[in-house]
Amino acid sequence: MQRIAAEMNQTTTAFVRRSTNPITENTCLPSVESEFILRWFTPTTEIPLCGHATLATSAVIFEIYKNLFNEIKFQTESGIHTARLKDGFIELDFPINLATPLSPVEQADIQPLLEVCTAIAGADSIVAVRLSQELRYLLVHLSDGVDLANLEVDPNRLLAAGPQTINLNGVILTSLACYS
């Protein structure tokens, strides 16, 4: 899987398989399964969680394979993730991985990274910063209405500004959506 993810060279590549044994079961179609095993890989490593790839995988199972269930579950390294069809949308439910405020030492360590986030999202755009100790993700809450879809993110710039003492798996920029 790692070699395929490296060849795909996308931010994240998802691999999904049914949780039952296809050799001993009569069917192997994702349309009649409700439980799957899901793993995510960057070009260089396996990661414990990827929301966008989970949403994309769910969309393929529900919309392309016309899954018969309104709810499917994914077994992952970070716990059980649930995807539900609700009012024409896909709702995802992830395990709780609490994100906590940073200590002064952690705050100082990520300051260069926050400066890059500010350059990406605009001055005074950062509302709060939290760290998921378990998953090693930095959650950066941006002010309401920041247009996440049109942010110009340079991954190399983020990597270059990475912290020295905190081992991060990724940075999540989030904001309350602005609908027009």
Side-chain angles (χ1 to χ4, degrees):
M1 287 184 266
Q2 184 62 66
R3 286 196 321 251
I4 293 170
E7 183 177 330
M8 298 296 288
N9 199 30
Q10 298 297 308
T11 305
T12 305
T13 303
F15 293 88
V16 65
R17 70 175 177 87
R18 44 185 270 171
S19 61
T20 55
N21 186 345
I23 296 171
T24 61
E25 300 292 328
N26 291 332
T27 180
C28 62
L29 298 174
S31 60
V32 295
E33 296 290 327
S34 63
E35 294 188 15
F36 301 88
I37 295 170
L38 182 59
R39 295 172 68 182
W40 309 276
F41 291 82
T42 70
T44 60
T45 190
E46 184 170 10
I47 58 175
L49 176 66
C50 182
H52 289 87
T54 303
L55 180 60
T57 302
S58 301
V60 167
I61 291 170
F62 284 130
E63 297 172 17
I64 304 296
Y65 286 102
K66 306 292 184 202
N67 189 280
L68 302 175
F69 298 92
N70 285 331
E71 179 178 293
I72 56 177
K73 294 187 182 298
F74 297 107
Q75 299 171 27
T76 75
E77 283 191 20
S78 58
I80 302 293
H81 300 215
T82 304
R84 288 179 202 84
L85 279 179
K86 189 173 181 182
D87 300 325
F89 293 94
I90 297 173
E91 176 183 273
L92 298 177
D93 187 8
F94 295 107
I96 295 176
N97 293 296
L98 297 177
T100 57
L102 284 81
S103 71
V105 171
E106 292 170 327
Q107 183 73 33
D109 191 28
I110 65 152
Q111 193 56 41
L113 186 58
L114 293 179
E115 290 170 9
V116 172
C117 292
T118 299
I120 291 169
D124 300 321
S125 59
I126 297 177
V127 175
V129 179
R130 301 286 186 267
L131 177 64
S132 169
Q133 297 289 345
E134 184 177 339
L135 295 176
R136 310 304 308 160
Y137 281 100
L138 187 69
L139 178 66
V140 181
H141 178 193
L142 302 175
S143 54
D144 294 352
V146 170
D147 187 2
L148 295 175
N150 289 314
L151 293 181
E152 293 185 26
V153 178
D154 179 357
N156 292 324
R157 192 169 171 203
L158 286 170
L159 285 171
Q164 300 301 310
T165 60
I166 301 172
N167 181 20
L168 289 179
N169 286 325
V171 177
I172 300 170
L173 300 176
T174 188
S175 173
L176 182 64
C178 179
Y179 297 102
S180 27

